[in-house]
């Protein structure tokens, strides 16, 4: 059955969700207060890089199932289910800024003239659903009935369309049974297991899951320290651990640290929420510390080897916070570049998708249009993002055009023995 859906906020979550809902047959109106973004989307442009998204948006706009507007009223009046997918940015003390959510709740309340289901998709602290319901009750002049639902999103950037089309699970948090059937109909085409819970549990599932994944990465990064001290290989250790089905191999890739717009923010938020609830979540504070230490260790590896960085030229492959995205928000690669520049190094950088976005935060680097041109004149090469294409780097050519063939691999993309056999001084993580 086709549902009439409005999505407020056309960021990563909102736009991908809207496009995927339309693709399975729902009628979707995406609302954004940024008129220039709406104009871009209407003209067929996509403000972010996300594999598969552009085609999906084009096809569904052409079929008349997906449309864009800057008017919340238009979106709300033509829909039965309204998804809130606006940003919940961090504040300086680590807590979450809920001003966008509150404003949208008020706006929705102001235009409701019949029963609506208002769904929160943004990542929010536990008990936000209650606050949204209170705000809508207060600001709804028409005094119509409504239900608030929590439906957290688990998509990964770079795999967002895939994650949305084939989700592991759908979590639906409700305060009454009334919206359950309609929500199940929205998700029926995705054929995923659906977990119906109370709203507070649904909100907690998101924070608990993200923090656990971050913990998994910090755990293997801590193991990487032990591996380096003993000559063990962290990839072998991760493979062996991952063969235990209770553990699983995913999210056990040691790295120079996790970043992005979710894990760091969600961890800080969860620590803050726990503090407000009277619990000092020391375990998660340690997850943050291991992550910060991993970056420091990596920079130290570089300075220990190159000694003085002033006037050295370092080539950096990767600027995005991970593969398959142009997103540089809280990217470990950018953090690393800024640290190297602070030490006086000159950078030659390349990323398959993130160069434009990186220029605003890393204005002094030399942006090289092709990865094989990066090594020219470099004293060392750094791999900072796990783009698979970096494995295809012309190592022979690189070695010839570099001042010294030294590579610091923050993503373990190459094999240490092969690199040494090819004449490289090669340093990676946990090996
Ligand atoms: C994450 C969650 O995976 C997703 O479910 C949630 O909805 C939003 O937050 P995302 O931030 O897009 O998604 O990226 P993810 O693929 O989880 O990677 C996060 C960071 O961890 C990246 O910097 C990545 O490079 C790093 N990472 C990931 C590792 O260092 N090692 C790993 O094994 C996995």
């Amino acid at each position: 059955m086709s549902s009439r859906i409005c999505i407020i906020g056309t960021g990563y979550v909102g736009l991908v969700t809207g496009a995927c809902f339309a693709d399975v047959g729902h009628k979707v109106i995406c609302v954004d207060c940024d008129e220039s973004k709406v104009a871009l989307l209407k003209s067929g442009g996509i403000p972010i890089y996300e594999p598969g998204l552009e085609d999906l948006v084009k096809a569904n706009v052409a079929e008349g199932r997906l449309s864009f507007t800057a008017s919340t009223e238009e979106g709300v009046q033509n829909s039965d289910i309204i998804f809130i997918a606006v940003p919940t940015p961090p504040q300086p003390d680590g807590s979450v800024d809920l001003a966008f959510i509150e404003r949208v709740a008020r706006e929705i309340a102001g235009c409701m003239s019949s029963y609506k289901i208002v769904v929160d998709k943004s990542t929010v602290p536990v008990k936000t659903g209650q606050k949204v319901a209170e705000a809508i009750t207060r600001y709804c002049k028409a005094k119509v009935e409504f239900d608030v639902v929590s439906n957290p999103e688990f998509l990964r950037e770079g795999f967002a369309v895939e994650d949305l089309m084939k989700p592991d699970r759908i979590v639906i948090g409700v305060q009454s049974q009334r919206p359950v059937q309609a929500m199940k109909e929205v998700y029926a085409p995705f054929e995923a297991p659906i977990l119906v819970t109370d709203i507070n549990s649904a909100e907690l599932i998101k924070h608990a899951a993200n923090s656990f994944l971050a913990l998994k990465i910090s755990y293997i990064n801590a193991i990487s320290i032990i591996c380096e001290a003993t000559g063990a290989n962290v990839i072998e250790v991760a493979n062996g651990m991952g063969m235990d089905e209770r553990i699983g191999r995913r999210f056990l890739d040691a790295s120079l640290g996790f970043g992005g717009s979710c894990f760091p923010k969600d961890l800080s938020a969860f620590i803050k929420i726990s503090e407000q609830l009277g619990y000092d979540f020391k375990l998660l504070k340690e997850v943050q510390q291991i992550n910060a230490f991993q970056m420091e260790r990596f920079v130290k590896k570089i300075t220990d080897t190159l000694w003085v960085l002033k006037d050295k030229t370092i080539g950096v492959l990767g600027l995005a916070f991970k593969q398959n995205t142009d997103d540089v928000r809280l990217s470990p690669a950018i953090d690393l570049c800024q640290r190297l520049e602070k030490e006086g190094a000159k950078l030659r950088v390349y990323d398959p998708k993130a160069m434009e976005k990186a220029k605003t935060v890393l204005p002094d680097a030399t942006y090289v249009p092709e990865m094989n041109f990066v090594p020219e004149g470099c004293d060392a090469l750094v791999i900072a993002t796990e783009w698979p294409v970096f494995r295809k780097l012309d190592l022979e050519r690189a070695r010839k055009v570099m001042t010294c063939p030294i590579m610091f691999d923050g993503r373990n993309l190459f094999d240490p023995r092969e690199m040494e056999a090819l004449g490289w001084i090669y340093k990676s993580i946990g090996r």
Side-chain angles (χ1 to χ4, degrees):
M1 250 193 28
S2 161
S3 310
R4 296 193 315 151
I5 294 172
C6 167
I7 311 240
I8 302 188
T10 56
Y12 271 99
V13 170
L15 188 55
V16 180
T17 307
C20 291
F21 280 171
D23 203 57
V24 297
H26 300 308
K27 182 112 177 123
V28 181
I29 306 179
C30 289
V31 180
D32 204 292
C33 59
D34 181 345
E35 302 219 7
S36 59
K37 205 170 178 187
V38 172
L40 175 75
L41 287 161
K42 277 186 169 170
S43 69
I46 302 285
I48 48 172
Y49 171 73
E50 189 60 45
L53 183 61
E54 193 168 349
D55 291 347
L56 211 60
V57 169
K58 275 195 184 135
N60 285 285
V61 168
E63 295 285 332
R65 286 190 298 260
L66 179 62
S67 61
F68 301 97
T69 175
S71 158
T72 304
E73 187 165 10
E74 187 187 333
V76 171
Q77 300 218 324
N78 291 294
S79 314
D80 303 309
I81 309 177
I82 300 139
F83 285 79
I84 304 177
V86 294
T88 48
Q91 309 202 83
D93 70 348
S95 65
V96 177
D97 182 355
L98 293 169
F100 293 121
I101 298 265
E102 196 268 349
R103 198 189 68 203
V104 167
R106 267 189 287 134
E107 280 176 15
I108 294 171
C111 355
M112 279 178 9
S113 53
S114 57
Y115 172 76
K116 304 282 175 195
I117 299 173
V118 180
V119 187
D120 181 26
K121 234 189 191 325
S122 306
T123 302
V124 292
V126 60
K127 293 189 174 167
T128 302
Q130 280 174 18
K131 293 273 177 212
V132 168
E134 282 164 25
I136 295 178
T137 307
R138 206 172 309 129
Y139 289 95
C140 180
K141 291 191 201 81
K143 298 292 166 216
V144 290
E145 291 188 349
F146 69 92
D147 272 296
V148 167
V149 172
S150 166
N151 172 221
E153 185 46 67
F154 300 98
L155 60 81
R156 294 163 300 161
E157 286 182 26
F159 301 91
V161 173
E162 189 185 319
D163 284 353
L164 230 135
M165 286 299 198
K166 292 184 216 132
D168 287 347
R169 80 303 208 183
I170 304 294
V171 175
I172 296 175
V174 289
Q175 57 195 354
S176 77
Q177 284 305 303
R178 188 171 177 189
V180 173
Q181 190 50 34
M183 288 301 293
K184 284 188 172 169
E185 278 165 19
V186 170
Y187 282 105
F190 299 95
E191 294 175 354
I194 294 181
L195 177 70
V196 179
T197 72
D198 60 283
I199 293 185
N200 289 349
S201 301
E203 288 169 343
L204 261 180
I205 286 168
K206 175 67 195 248
H207 269 118
N210 264 7
S211 298
F212 190 79
L213 291 167
L215 179 145
K216 224 176 153 184
I217 301 170
S218 276
Y219 187 82
I220 200 68
N221 279 338
I223 298 288
S224 79
I225 302 174
I226 308 296
C227 287
E228 284 171 29
T230 54
N233 181 333
V234 75
I235 295 186
E236 303 290 357
V237 176
N239 288 346
M241 285 171 65
M243 287 165 85
D244 184 330
E245 278 180 20
R246 293 169 303 175
I247 299 175
R249 178 62 178 83
R250 295 173 75 190
F251 279 72
L252 283 181
D253 291 324
S255 65
L256 74 172
F258 58 75
S261 62
C262 289
F263 284 171
K265 181 192 91 172
D266 290 357
L267 267 178
S268 302
F270 202 24
I271 290 169
K272 197 78 198 165
I273 295 162
S274 309
E275 191 185 300
Q276 284 158 357
L277 295 168
Y279 178 59
D280 182 6
F281 216 142
K282 288 192 190 129
L283 178 67
L284 296 186
K285 289 181 180 168
E286 193 55 34
V287 169
Q288 290 179 318
Q289 272 173 19
I290 294 168
N291 200 47
F293 186 49
Q294 199 69 352
M295 174 60 75
E296 278 164 30
R297 287 193 331 111
F298 193 66
V299 173
K300 188 167 180 302
K301 264 182 208 167
I302 299 175
T303 49
D304 280 354
T305 310
L306 297 184
W307 191 15
V308 173
L309 294 193
K310 193 165 183 310
D311 298 331
K312 295 262 163 66
T313 303
I314 301 180
V316 180
L317 293 180
L319 298 166
F321 81 99
K322 63 170 195 178
Q323 61 172 313
N324 270 350
T325 179
D326 64 351
D327 196 347
V328 296
R329 288 175 293 172
L330 292 188
S331 167
I334 299 287
D335 182 11
L336 176 71
C337 288
Q338 288 168 340
R339 286 167 190 252
L340 298 177
E341 281 188 339
K342 215 167 144 212
E343 294 286 323
K346 307 232 175 331
L347 303 183
R348 291 173 59 77
V349 301
Y350 170 79
D351 188 284
K353 292 286 173 202
M355 306 242 267
E356 276 317 304
K357 290 195 174 158
K359 279 176 188 165
T360 50
V361 282
L362 206 64
D364 297 329
T366 303
Y367 287 79
V368 183
E370 214 264 284
M371 76 171 172
N372 282 310
F373 298 158
V374 171
E376 237 118 292
C378 286
D379 297 281
L381 208 55
V382 173
I383 310 275
T385 308
E386 68 272 38
W387 282 101
V389 69
F390 294 157
R391 288 202 169 93
K392 298 200 179 116
L393 181 74
D394 187 340
L395 291 168
E396 197 43 44
R397 183 181 185 279
R399 210 167 58 84
K400 284 190 192 135
V401 298
M402 286 174 71
T403 314
C404 313
I406 306 177
M407 186 190 283
F408 300 96
D409 184 353
R411 298 293 188 167
N412 287 348
L413 294 190
F414 294 96
D415 182 85
R417 261 167 302 179
E418 281 174 21
M419 290 300 280
E420 272 153 36
L422 290 170
W424 286 80
I425 298 169
Y426 176 78
K427 311 223 176 225
S428 54
I429 310 277
R431 302 185 297 171

